[in-house]
Amino acid sequence: MEQFTYFMPTKLFFGAGALDKLGEEPLPGKKALIVISAGTSMRRYGYLERVQKLLEKNGAGYEVFDKILANPVKSHVMEGAALAKQTGCDFVIGLGGGSSIDSAKAIAVMAVNDGDYWDYIDGGSGKNQPLKKHPLPIVAITTTAGTGTEADPWSVITKEETGEKIGFGSDMTYPAFSIIDPDLMESVPPHLTAYQGFDALFHSTEGYIANNVTPISDMFAIKAIELIGAYLPRAVKDGKDKEARAMVALANTLAGFVECMSGCTSEHSLEHALSGFHPNVPHGAGLIAISLPYYKMFVNHDACPDRFIAMAKALGKADAAKASDFVDMLADLEKACGVDDIKLSAYGVEKDEARKIALHALDTMGGLFQKDRYQMSVEEITSIMEEAHK
């Protein structure tokens, strides 16, 4: 067995009613910048007001930054960081889905470090400079089950002018503590529940077939795959199904652990390139569109067949005996969740963009391709995107 390191310093509060911990747990600062999306849900469902009252109960002040997009952008990171500086915020709360929490992490970095966020990005036009100062402490309060960002250090931000959508993180960008309260997820509509759930699934499947797996990442990945296969269709069908919501939320957090250990392969790189050029494509929808031709590529090249069989069993096919059983089970799960007919053309993506997207993925997040157990040619990567287009 090869050596490995397991480091996950975030304290997690999981379960129904866990949001109340915000009013009791010692906070990492005296004034929070609460980062939320530009949408209405955090206010409409009362989540923002609850967070504000709990902070007050715990003796903390706050400011609100509410401009985050579904695919968050660098300009908002810089604007949020400037607000944190101007108002004396000494920690950052990401409240909402992955976009808000990812943005909170990036804002925490730029609230104390000079220059531009892209100075610290490794990939594309990033300058890969080291952080000079430790980011502000981060608290993550997730209201969705998709990215696992409450349990990992990663933040994915897009540089608008170039369409570069790149992940960044370090040991300094783990949340100080995170709250995973499934009650806050009951308001997520069915299609977004599905998109987010498949994002968590693919964090787990990619992390299971990557070439840098560990016994710890394998354990978390297989359990997350089992939970999503069993409970995601139920959560999509009935958002008030508390057991299903809790189990999908748990799977998502476990998938975040996988991100700490082995991480994504090139499927995520391809989707980042896709939605970097087309930010109207929901991340989960893009992953679903890519998924079947992507995994077929690895099955057809006999890449780690035993692992594909294990994933097929985790999705519920107890008698799985061949790698292609996983692709079949994945197709069945997408159908069960009503997301088996996503058309990228509906988002304005043209089929002849496939090669451009492939090259963009290699340029911006080429490191993920190095985690693949089969090294694809540009032509093969392009063929995946062409097949995904529908």
Side-chain angles (χ1 to χ4, degrees):
M1 182 185 298
E2 294 185 7
Q3 294 182 344
F4 66 88
T5 300
Y6 177 45
F7 178 71
M8 216 302 285
T10 302
K11 186 173 186 178
L12 302 175
F13 297 103
F14 183 96
L19 182 58
D20 289 340
K21 292 291 185 180
L22 185 64
E24 306 165 2
E25 179 70 7
L27 299 172
K30 292 295 185 182
K31 186 175 184 180
L33 180 72
I34 306 172
V35 179
I36 62 174
S37 75
T40 62
S41 59
M42 292 304 102
R43 289 186 169 93
R44 185 168 74 252
Y45 295 111
Y47 301 156
L48 175 61
E49 183 179 5
R50 286 182 63 189
V51 165
Q52 290 170 326
K53 288 182 176 178
L54 287 166
L55 287 173
E56 291 169 1
K57 175 186 174 184
N58 213 341
Y62 54 80
E63 298 285 340
V64 177
F65 184 69
D66 60 358
K67 296 187 178 182
I68 304 304
L69 304 177
N71 279 305
V73 296
K74 180 175 72 71
S75 62
H76 289 156
V77 168
M78 299 305 295
E79 186 176 349
L83 178 62
K85 292 178 185 178
Q86 292 164 6
T87 57
C89 293
D90 56 0
F91 71 109
V92 185
I93 295 177
L95 171 64
S99 59
S100 295
I101 299 172
D102 281 13
S103 297
K105 293 176 181 178
I107 287 169
V109 168
M110 294 314 301
V112 293
N113 284 281
D114 295 331
D116 184 82
Y117 183 64
W118 233 246
D119 293 341
Y120 307 101
I121 296 298
D122 178 15
S125 62
K127 297 180 180 179
N128 196 26
Q129 295 179 1
L131 296 181
K132 293 182 173 61
K133 296 182 179 179
H134 197 291
L136 294 181
I138 302 149
V139 172
I141 304 172
T142 182
T143 63
T144 66
T147 68
T149 189
E150 72 275 5
D152 69 41
W154 307 113
S155 172
V156 178
I157 304 295
T158 299
K159 183 180 180 182
E160 305 97 298
E161 55 267 37
T162 60
E164 295 172 280
K165 184 178 179 181
I166 300 178
F168 171 80
S170 75
D171 287 353
M172 295 184 285
T173 51
Y174 280 92
F177 68 87
S178 294
I179 294 171
I180 307 101
D181 186 339
D183 286 350
L184 304 182
M185 303 173 188
E186 292 184 8
S187 59
V188 179
H191 71 290
L192 292 180
T193 297
Y195 293 168
Q196 294 156 7
F198 275 96
D199 187 15
L201 175 68
F202 296 135
H203 286 159
S204 304
T205 56
E206 292 174 55
Y208 192 69
I209 66 170
N211 60 18
N212 64 333
V213 299
T214 74
I216 306 297
S217 66
D218 282 352
M219 175 181 67
F220 289 139
I222 284 295
K223 187 61 179 179
I225 294 167
E226 288 177 357
L227 291 172
I228 290 170
Y231 291 99
L232 182 59
R234 281 175 51 180
V236 171
K237 182 179 180 180
D238 178 9
K240 301 297 183 182
D241 184 333
K242 290 185 177 295
E243 181 184 31
R245 284 291 189 190
M247 291 303 180
V248 174
L250 176 58
N252 177 56
T253 299
L254 297 180
F257 295 165
V258 178
E259 290 289 279
C260 302
M261 298 291 293
S262 58
C264 292
T265 59
S266 56
E267 182 184 13
H268 261 73
S269 181
L270 287 170
E271 199 295 316
H272 286 176
L274 168 66
S275 55
F277 283 141
H278 295 275
N280 60 320
V281 177
H283 178 54
L287 287 169
I288 293 165
I290 293 166
S291 62
L292 294 180
Y294 179 83
Y295 288 104
K296 285 178 187 174
M297 178 69 70
F298 290 87
V299 167
N300 291 341
H301 285 90
D302 205 32
C304 57
D306 290 348
R307 287 182 172 267
F308 278 95
I309 292 170
M311 291 193 298
K313 290 180 178 178
L315 284 180
K317 187 173 177 58
D319 62 348
K322 55 187 185 300
S324 60
D325 287 337
F326 169 74
V327 177
D328 294 339
M329 291 300 293
L330 177 58
D332 288 348
L333 182 61
E334 291 177 0
K335 186 174 182 179
C337 293
V339 293
D340 55 319
D341 194 30
I342 290 173
K343 291 181 170 58
L344 294 181
S345 57
Y347 297 100
V349 183
E350 301 292 340
K351 191 171 184 177
D352 61 8
E353 292 182 77
R355 185 176 179 85
K356 181 178 77 168
I357 291 169
L359 293 173
H360 194 51
L362 288 164
D363 177 57
T364 55
M365 294 191 70
L368 296 189
F369 287 87
Q370 300 306 309
K371 292 187 176 183
D372 292 342
R373 292 183 188 245
Y374 171 71
Q375 295 299 307
M376 296 179 286
S377 67
V378 173
E379 289 70 26
E380 287 172 322
I381 301 167
T382 301
S383 73
I384 290 172
M385 296 310 302
E386 288 174 340
E387 188 176 343
H389 185 267
K390 295 183 181 180

